[in-house]
Amino acid sequence: MADITRRLGWRHLRSAPTAHVRHHRGGRLVHEGTGLSFWFRSLSAALSEVPVDDRELAMAFHARTADFQDVSVQSTVTYRIGDPAAAATRLDFSLDPDTGAWRGTPLEQIGTLLTETAQQHALAVLARIPLSEALVDGVGAVRERMAAGLAAEPRLPETGIEVVAVRVVALRPEPEVERALRTPAREQIQQEADRATYERRAVAVERERAIAENELASKIELARQEERLVDQRGTNARREAEEGAAADAVRAGAEAARTVRLAQAEAEAAREVGAARAEAQSAWLRAHAEVAPATLHALAATRAAEQLPRIQNLTLSPDVLTGLLARLGAGGDGGAEPRGGAGGARS
């Protein structure tokens, strides 16, 4: 839409670079071109603006296949106005000099023309093929037929319209038919998924079995190692017992030999001590046999006195002393005891 401003009864128009503007005054063409900017009077000016940029026209319509199945066609047509002057003379692109807006709806007219022309050719293609073929190869066939039909339509170049490209986005059947068509594929996909699940489970079971076998083999090998360990421990224990018994026997033999040697030494020592004592006793007896009886009596008295209690004071009377001397002189012949009494001893 052109930009129009007011200044003291004059109007100023400024168009976009993608818009072709035509200015007539008094039936004569005064200004024509894209991206124009000029002053004009609203009472004497006739303005038209034709867009020359590429436009996208989305189409959506229903068609019926050869097996009487309804399908929805979604497509897009790219077009542009290659001859703005022809388009301005065939369609109403006139502008309101006060607002700069189109007085008519030219783009809607172009859209209707393109849609009806393209739909006519698409319906002709789909009416001759069944639904299955239309869903498989229908997109390309419909696109080629629509492009060819639009290119051959004589009204489009007369109106200055050029078709740049035709695209068919999708061909879709009715929702119920689409669900019915999806069912076999879904079933196959589900079967593939189930088979993959079963195979995965089988692989998992096989791996678990292999793991269990490995664990069992490990346990068996461990039991064998434990058996070998027990046998080795028994062998070590027997060897240790045998070596201990041998050591004990050696120690016992050594202890017995030492005890025998000690007993022999003690017996030899006892014999030597006895012999020495016997020799000493014999010498003592021989020594006493050669001594006078009085001397022996004195020694006996001395020994006896050694066994008596300690006497602090001893008083001998003359009678007792005389008798003892007489006995000593007589040689101890066993006469009558001398009379007399000993004085009391004071301790």
Side-chain angles (χ1 to χ4, degrees):
M1 184 176 67
D3 184 13
I4 297 177
T5 57
R6 300 180 183 181
R7 291 292 185 275
L8 300 175
W10 288 84
R11 303 288 188 272
H12 183 269
L13 182 144
R14 183 175 57 191
S15 64
T18 58
H20 185 90
V21 176
R22 291 168 59 87
H23 176 209
H24 290 80
R25 184 175 59 211
R28 292 184 300 105
L29 183 62
V30 180
H31 298 95
E32 181 180 15
T34 59
L36 296 181
S37 178
F38 55 87
W39 292 92
F40 66 93
R41 287 183 175 275
S42 61
L43 296 178
S44 61
L47 303 173
S48 64
E49 183 184 32
V50 180
V52 294
D53 57 338
D54 290 349
R55 300 266 173 160
E56 300 286 341
L57 177 62
M59 302 179 185
F61 52 89
H62 292 276
R64 180 168 293 182
T65 61
D67 50 358
F68 304 101
Q69 298 296 326
D70 292 335
V71 293
S72 298
V73 181
Q74 297 178 4
S75 61
T76 302
V77 175
T78 303
Y79 71 95
R80 66 185 178 87
I81 299 177
D83 188 355
T89 58
R90 299 294 296 269
L91 299 173
D92 186 9
F93 284 97
S94 62
L95 294 178
D96 187 341
D98 293 329
T99 62
W102 279 322
R103 290 177 175 176
T105 56
L107 296 182
E108 293 182 4
Q109 295 176 5
I110 295 174
T112 302
L113 174 61
L114 292 175
T115 301
E116 292 179 353
T117 303
Q119 184 177 0
Q120 177 182 358
H121 295 285
L123 294 176
V125 173
L126 294 174
R128 293 195 298 269
I129 59 176
L131 177 62
S132 58
E133 184 178 350
L135 295 178
V136 176
D137 301 325
V139 173
V142 171
R143 181 180 64 251
E144 293 176 0
R145 183 62 179 273
M146 287 175 61
L150 291 174
E153 178 64 30
R155 187 180 174 185
L156 296 180
E158 293 176 359
T159 314
I161 300 173
E162 297 178 0
V163 177
V164 178
V166 177
R167 299 187 302 275
V168 176
V169 180
L171 288 176
R172 302 191 63 177
E174 294 295 324
E176 295 80 4
V177 177
E178 186 175 5
R179 284 194 295 269
L181 294 174
R182 288 178 178 177
T183 300
R186 289 184 176 180
E187 291 294 335
Q188 185 176 0
I189 294 172
Q190 187 63 38
Q191 291 176 4
E192 294 292 334
D194 293 340
R195 184 169 67 253
T197 301
Y198 297 149
E199 291 178 355
R200 185 169 58 253
R201 290 179 180 176
V203 171
V205 171
E206 183 65 23
R207 291 180 178 175
E208 290 179 358
R209 184 184 62 80
I211 292 173
E213 290 180 354
N214 292 334
E215 291 179 353
L216 182 60
S218 299
K219 290 180 180 180
I220 293 174
E221 183 63 25
L222 181 61
R224 291 176 180 174
Q225 295 294 336
E226 290 180 353
E227 183 179 0
R228 295 194 190 100
L229 180 61
V230 170
D231 294 340
Q232 187 64 36
R233 285 179 178 176
T235 303
N236 294 339
R238 287 192 299 271
R239 184 177 300 173
E240 183 178 359
E242 292 174 356
E243 292 179 356
D248 292 340
V250 172
R251 285 195 297 271
E255 185 68 22
R258 188 179 66 83
T259 303
V260 170
R261 288 194 300 271
L262 182 60
Q264 290 176 356
E266 290 179 355
E268 185 65 25
R271 284 195 298 272
E272 292 178 358
V273 170
R277 287 181 179 177
E279 184 66 25
Q281 188 69 25
S282 299
W284 185 78
L285 290 177
R286 287 195 300 272
H288 282 74
E290 295 175 357
V291 177
T295 302
L296 294 176
H297 289 166
L299 291 173
T302 302
R303 293 290 182 86
E306 291 177 357
Q307 302 299 325
L308 293 177
R310 184 178 179 182
I311 301 174
Q312 298 293 334
N313 297 316
L314 180 62
T315 303
L316 296 177
S317 63
D319 294 337
V320 174
L321 185 58
T322 303
L324 290 174
L325 291 175
R327 293 185 62 184
L328 290 173
D333 54 355
E337 294 182 359
R339 289 178 299 176
R346 290 181 304 173
S347 58

